[in-house]
Amino acid sequence: MPDVALGTSRRCKRGIARILQETAERHAQSKLVAAAEIYAKVSILRQTVAEPASQKAASPNRTIIESMPQAILPILTNLLVAAMFVGAFLVTAHTYPMVRRARWFALAYVFGALEPLTNLGIWLGANVAAMQTVGFVGFLTALVTMALALSHYHRRRPMWACAAAILVGGCIWRIATIDVARGGIWYQLSFQSWFALGSILCAAALRRHTTPSLLNRCLVTVFIITALHFWAKAGFAIALGTGMTEREFAGTIYAVISQTSSGLLMIAAGLLIVASFLHSVVRATQTEALSDPLTGLPNRRAFEQWLKVAQGDGMQLPLSVAIIDVDHFKHFNDRFGHAVGDEVLREVAACLDRNRPSVSRAARLGGEEFVLLLPMDPQAAFLVVEKIRLAIAQLAYKDTDPITVSIGMATMEGGETTSDLLRRADRALYRAKAAGRDRCEIDSLDPEAASSVARPALKLVARQ
C-alpha cells in the first residue's frame, strides 16, 4: 500500500508540473501577441502623426503653382520675344550699315516690352496705378514708334503730327480714366481704340512711304488685322470678363487670349520687318556686285547679263553695240595724276548716262572703256553715238586737255552671236583710233551696208 500511495503522489506532482508549464507557455504567448498588437498600433500612430507634417512641407509649393495666374506664361513669352527682337534689330543694324535704321525698330520693341513687364509687376505687388499708366503708354508708344520707324527706314518724312496726336491723346485718356471701373463696354472700346489707331498709323505709313511689294503688302495686312483685333478684344473682354481689379486680370481666360493674340501679331510684324531687312541687304549686295564703284554705272558683269538675257529672248533684232574709249587717257593720269583721271572717268560716265536714250543701257567695261547697248538699227544707233561723242567733247575739267572719245559700233546680223558682235565693235574701235580718234566707226558684215549709213555732218559750233 505504501508503494501505491507513493506512485500516485509522484504522478500527481508530474501532472501539476505539466499544467503549470502549459499555463506559463500560454501566458508568454499572450504577452507576445499583446506586444505585437501594441507595436502595430504605435506604428500606425506614428504614420498618422508624420503625414500632416509632410503635407505641410509640400503644401507651400502646391500653393504657389496653384495660385500662379494662367496668363503668366504668355506674358513671359511676350517679354522674351520682345527682348529677342530688340537684340535681332540691333545686331542687324550693327552688321549691315545699309539697314542701320533698324535701331528704330529695336526702340519700338523696347517700349512694347513695358506692357508685359508691368503686368508682371502688378502680379508681384507693385503699385497698380503706376503700372497701369506705364504699361498703357509704353505699348501705345511702341506702335507709334513703329510707324515712325517704317517711314524713316524708307527714307521718307515720318507723320510726326499724327503720331504726336495719338500719343498725347492716349496719355490724357489714361490719366483721366485711371480710377474708372474696367467692366464697362465704353471703357473697353476706348481703351482698345488707342492701340487700334496706332496700328492704323503703321499701315498708313507703309501705304504712303513704301514701294509696292509682296512683303510690304503682307505687312500692311498684318497691321490692319492688328487694328481689327484690338477692337474685337473689347467684345471678348465684356463676354469673358477681365477681373474686378488689375491684379485679378492675369488670372482670367481673357488675359490668356489677349496676351497670346497680341503677341502672335507682333511676332508676325517683326518677322516680316526682318525679312524686309534681308531683302534690302540682298538687293544692295546684288547692286554692288553689278555696279562700278568709281562711276556708278553698271559694270562688265551686268553688261554680260544683259547680253545673256537678250540672247535668251531670241535676240530681238535690231541690236547695236557701241564701245566708247576715252582718247589719250594715260596722258591724263601721267600729267595730272590719278585723281584727275578718276574724275575724268566720272564726268564721261555721267555725260554718257545723261545723253543715252531710255531704251538703251550703258556700262563701264573697265579702265577707260564704256559700252552702250542700243536696241535700234544702224542709222538710229549712229545718230545716238554721234550725239554722245559731241556731248563728251564739250566737257572740261579744270585746266586739263580737251576730253574726246573714239567709238566703235556694230549691229547684230542674222545668225550672229553676241561674242561676234562685240568682236566687230572692238574692231571698229581700233579703226576709229587709227583714223585719228574723236570719231565713230561702224563695222558691218556687208561693206555696202556700212557705207550706206548716213553720216550726218555734226560738229561743234561756238555760241554767238
Side-chain angles (χ1 to χ4, degrees):
M1 289 298 292
D3 294 331
V4 174
L6 181 60
T8 302
S9 175
R10 288 176 178 173
R11 284 196 296 272
C12 290
K13 287 180 180 179
R14 285 196 295 270
I16 291 170
R18 192 182 307 110
I19 291 171
L20 291 174
Q21 183 178 1
E22 291 175 356
T23 302
E25 290 175 356
R26 286 195 296 272
H27 184 66
Q29 289 178 356
S30 64
K31 284 184 176 180
L32 289 174
V33 172
E37 292 176 352
I38 292 172
Y39 180 80
K41 291 180 180 180
V42 170
S43 299
I44 293 172
L45 181 62
R46 286 177 179 176
Q47 292 177 359
T48 305
V49 173
E51 186 175 358
S54 63
Q55 290 179 351
K56 289 180 181 179
S59 61
N61 292 331
R62 289 206 300 265
T63 302
I64 292 175
I65 295 174
E66 292 173 357
S67 64
M68 182 179 292
Q70 50 190 337
I72 286 299
L73 181 59
I75 289 174
L76 289 173
T77 301
N78 288 345
L79 184 61
L80 178 62
V81 167
M84 291 174 62
F85 273 117
V86 169
F89 289 136
L90 290 177
V91 170
T92 302
H94 178 74
T95 306
Y96 302 103
M98 72 279 291
V99 290
R100 59 181 178 273
R101 290 176 174 84
R103 291 174 292 186
W104 279 68
F105 296 99
L107 181 62
Y109 275 87
V110 167
F111 286 126
L114 293 177
E115 200 275 335
L117 197 60
T118 53
N119 282 325
L120 286 176
I122 291 174
W123 178 62
L124 295 173
N127 183 274
V128 174
M131 293 294 101
Q132 277 183 295
T133 304
V134 172
F136 178 88
V137 174
F139 193 65
L140 185 59
T141 304
L143 291 171
V144 170
T145 305
M146 181 72 73
L148 300 176
L150 289 168
S151 299
H152 185 63
Y153 174 70
H154 292 282
R155 292 176 171 82
R156 302 292 296 273
R157 186 175 182 275
M159 295 181 285
W160 293 105
C162 294
I166 293 174
L167 189 57
V168 172
C171 292
I172 294 173
W173 180 90
R174 177 73 275 181
I175 294 172
T177 60
I178 196 68
D179 295 323
V180 175
R182 53 188 289 126
I185 183 64
W186 75 268
Y187 174 87
Q188 290 296 333
L189 279 174
S190 58
F191 178 85
Q192 301 292 348
S193 292
W194 293 107
F195 301 138
L197 288 175
S199 302
I200 291 173
L201 184 65
C202 293
L206 283 166
R207 289 295 300 272
R208 291 184 59 182
H209 296 160
T210 62
T211 56
S213 68
L214 178 60
L215 275 175
N216 290 334
R217 284 194 293 269
C218 290
L219 200 51
V220 169
T221 304
V222 166
F223 281 117
I224 291 175
I225 293 174
T226 302
L228 296 175
H229 124 279
F230 281 124
W231 279 314
K233 279 168 60 173
F236 281 105
I238 299 302
L240 301 176
T242 62
M244 298 300 295
T245 64
E246 284 289 336
R247 284 194 171 90
E248 295 178 2
F249 167 75
T252 62
I253 187 65
Y254 167 74
V256 177
I257 296 174
S258 174
Q259 291 291 323
T260 303
S261 60
S262 299
L264 288 175
L265 289 169
M266 291 300 102
I267 290 173
L271 290 177
L272 286 173
I273 292 171
V274 171
S276 178
F277 291 163
L278 295 177
H279 178 70
S280 298
V281 170
V282 171
R283 186 172 56 188
T285 303
Q286 290 178 340
T287 302
E288 184 177 350
L290 299 176
S291 297
D292 175 53
L294 178 63
T295 62
L297 289 178
N299 56 17
R300 187 185 191 99
R301 182 182 300 173
F303 176 70
E304 291 174 351
Q305 288 187 2
W306 298 340
L307 290 180
K308 287 181 181 178
V309 171
Q311 196 165 17
D313 291 341
M315 197 59 70
Q316 297 295 325
L317 298 177
L319 181 67
S320 299
V321 170
I323 299 178
I324 303 168
D325 185 272
V326 180
D327 295 330
H328 304 294
F329 180 72
K330 186 176 182 300
H331 174 73
F332 285 100
N333 283 334
D334 294 342
R335 183 177 177 184
F336 303 104
H338 289 279
V340 172
D342 291 344
E343 189 61 33
V344 168
L345 290 178
R346 280 191 285 266
E347 292 289 338
V348 170
C351 184
L352 173 62
D353 199 42
R354 283 194 308 268
N355 290 277
R356 68 177 178 84
S358 58
V359 295
S360 66
R361 291 183 173 183
R364 182 188 178 196
L365 288 179
E368 66 271 24
E369 282 192 347
F370 300 87
V371 65
L372 194 62
L373 193 63
L374 300 158
M376 51 187 67
D377 57 47
Q379 289 82 3
F382 183 78
L383 288 174
V384 169
V385 295
E386 277 292 287
K387 173 188 174 184
I388 291 173
R389 183 181 65 82
L390 294 176
I392 293 174
Q394 295 181 19
L395 296 177
Y397 180 74
K398 295 183 179 179
D399 297 327
T400 62
D401 295 338
I403 303 173
T404 61
V405 293
S406 299
I407 303 174
M409 194 188 83
T411 301
M412 175 72 71
E413 303 287 349
E416 192 177 24
T417 64
T418 55
S419 298
D420 296 333
L421 178 64
L422 288 174
R423 190 178 301 109
R424 290 198 295 110
D426 193 56
R427 190 166 57 202
L429 174 63
Y430 277 104
R431 286 209 308 268
K433 286 184 172 294
R437 293 183 170 86
D438 189 19
R439 58 185 292 122
C440 175
E441 289 290 333
I442 302 173
D443 188 276
S444 177
L445 297 178
D446 185 0
E448 294 182 0
S451 61
S452 66
V453 175
R455 297 178 179 270
L458 299 178
K459 61 179 181 179
L460 293 178
V461 178
R463 291 183 179 181
Q464 298 296 330

